[in-house]
Amino acid sequence: MKHSLAAYTASPGSQVIPIGNFQLVLALGFVLIAVGIALWLRLGLARRLMTAAARCYLQLLFLGFVLFFIFSHDHPWLTVAVLLVMIGFGVQNILSLLKRSPYRLFWPVVTSMSVTGIPITFIVAAAVIGVTPWYRAQYVIPLAGMVFGNSMDGIALAAERMFADLEARRDEVRLLITLGATPWDASLPSIRAAVRAGLVPTINRTATVGVVSIPGMMTGQILAGADPLMAARYQIVIMLMLAAASSLGAITVALWSYKKAFDSAGAPR
C-alpha cells in the first residue's frame, strides 16, 4: 500500500494549520529566552540548551522524513525493522542509566522491552483500535514509540531499585540464605520494592490525566480537528496501554534479573 505526500499534508479544507519554516525559526525564540536567563545567572547550561534545541530540530525533522518514507511503502518488514531499532536504542538508554550496576543486565532488559512492548503494541493496534492491515505503520510505529518509552522508564526504575534494595539488605539476605531460604524468598521484598518503584510514576500520571494535564496524543488530535470525545477515547486506550507496558516491563525485568545477585549455588555474590 503506497501513499503520496498529499495524503500526509493539510488539504485546503483541513482544519490543520500548517507550520512553515518561518514559524519554526520563530519558535526558537522561546529557547533563546531560556539561554539568556542561563547566561545571566551563569548556570553553565547555555551551550547545552542550544545543543539540545539543535538536536530537537534535526532529529524530529529527520524522523519526519523517515516516517514519510515508511508510511509511503507500508511494508511489514519495514515496520518490524523500525521496532527493532527502537528497542535497540531503548536498551542502550536503559543500560546507560544502569551502568553502576555490578551485574550484566543486557538480556533481562532486551527481554523485558521485547515481550512487553511488541505484544501490547500489536494487540492494541489490531484488536482495540482495529487497524487493517495489522502492520500499518501509521498506527503501529507511534503506538510502539509510546509503549517502548513508558516501558523503558518502568524497566530502568525497577532494575535500579531492586539491586539498590538488595544491596541495602545484603546482611539480611545472607542470613536468610544461611537459614535455608531460596534466592526467590530472600529477594521477594526487593522485587516488590522494584515493581512498586516502576509503577508509581505511571499510577500518578494515569490518575491526574485530564485534570492536571492534557496528554500529547489528545492535544495533537484536537489540534488536527478531531472530535474531542473521540480524542478522549483514544487517549483512554493509550493511558491504559502505557500503564500495562510499565507494569509488565517492571515485573519482567525484576523476575528475570534478581538471580543475577546470586551465584549458581544460590549464595549472594
Side-chain angles (χ1 to χ4, degrees):
M1 180 185 300
K2 292 190 177 183
H3 306 282
S4 65
L5 179 61
Y8 301 106
T9 55
S11 61
S14 173
Q15 298 184 45
V16 177
I17 301 175
I19 294 178
N21 294 332
F22 174 75
Q23 285 85 353
L24 284 177
V25 175
L26 190 62
L28 186 62
F30 297 112
V31 176
L32 294 178
I33 293 173
V35 170
I37 294 173
L39 290 172
W40 176 50
L41 294 177
R42 299 180 181 177
L43 300 178
L45 296 175
R47 180 175 296 180
R48 291 179 61 184
L49 278 169
M50 290 301 298
T51 302
R55 289 187 61 176
C56 175
Y57 273 72
L58 294 174
Q59 290 170 182
L60 289 179
L61 289 174
F62 176 75
L63 176 63
F65 284 112
V66 171
L67 290 181
F68 170 70
F69 173 81
I70 294 170
F71 293 174
S72 298
H73 292 76
D74 213 10
H75 193 280
W77 286 113
L78 273 176
T79 302
V80 170
V82 172
L83 298 189
L84 293 178
V85 170
M86 294 167 72
I87 290 174
F89 278 103
V91 169
Q92 182 183 28
N93 186 64
I94 293 173
L95 294 178
S96 68
L97 295 174
L98 300 175
K99 58 186 177 182
R100 294 183 180 179
S101 172
Y103 310 108
R104 295 181 178 180
L105 300 177
F106 176 80
W107 286 114
V109 171
V110 170
T111 303
S112 300
M113 286 203 68
S114 301
V115 303
T116 59
I118 293 177
I120 288 176
T121 297
F122 284 108
I123 288 172
V124 170
V128 179
I129 299 178
V131 175
T132 54
W134 60 268
Y135 56 82
R136 191 172 176 185
Q138 184 180 353
Y139 286 85
V140 170
I141 292 176
L143 289 173
M146 289 184 280
V147 169
F148 290 143
N150 279 264
S151 64
M152 186 173 65
D153 293 339
I155 290 168
L157 287 170
E160 190 279 331
R161 176 60 63 86
M162 184 175 65
F163 290 113
D165 197 77
L166 283 172
E167 179 64 28
R169 297 177 52 243
R170 176 181 289 273
D171 293 338
E172 176 188 345
V173 170
R174 288 186 179 278
L175 178 61
L176 290 171
I177 295 296
T178 301
L179 294 175
T182 64
W184 166 259
D185 294 328
S187 302
L188 189 55
S190 298
I191 293 173
R192 288 173 175 157
V195 176
R196 190 178 297 113
L199 289 181
V200 167
T202 298
I203 293 173
N204 293 337
R205 186 164 53 245
T206 304
T208 59
V209 66
V211 178
V212 178
S213 64
I214 299 179
M217 182 174 184
M218 186 173 178
T219 300
Q221 286 193 319
I222 292 173
L223 290 176
D227 177 0
L229 289 177
M230 184 57 66
R233 289 171 181 263
Y234 264 88
Q235 193 61 57
I236 290 170
V237 170
I238 295 304
M239 294 306 298
L240 298 180
M241 175 187 76
L242 299 185
S246 295
S247 304
L248 293 176
I251 292 169
T252 303
V253 76
L255 296 181
W256 187 275
S257 61
Y258 79 92
K259 289 185 178 180
K260 295 283 186 179
F262 301 86
D263 61 23
S264 58
R269 293 185 185 276

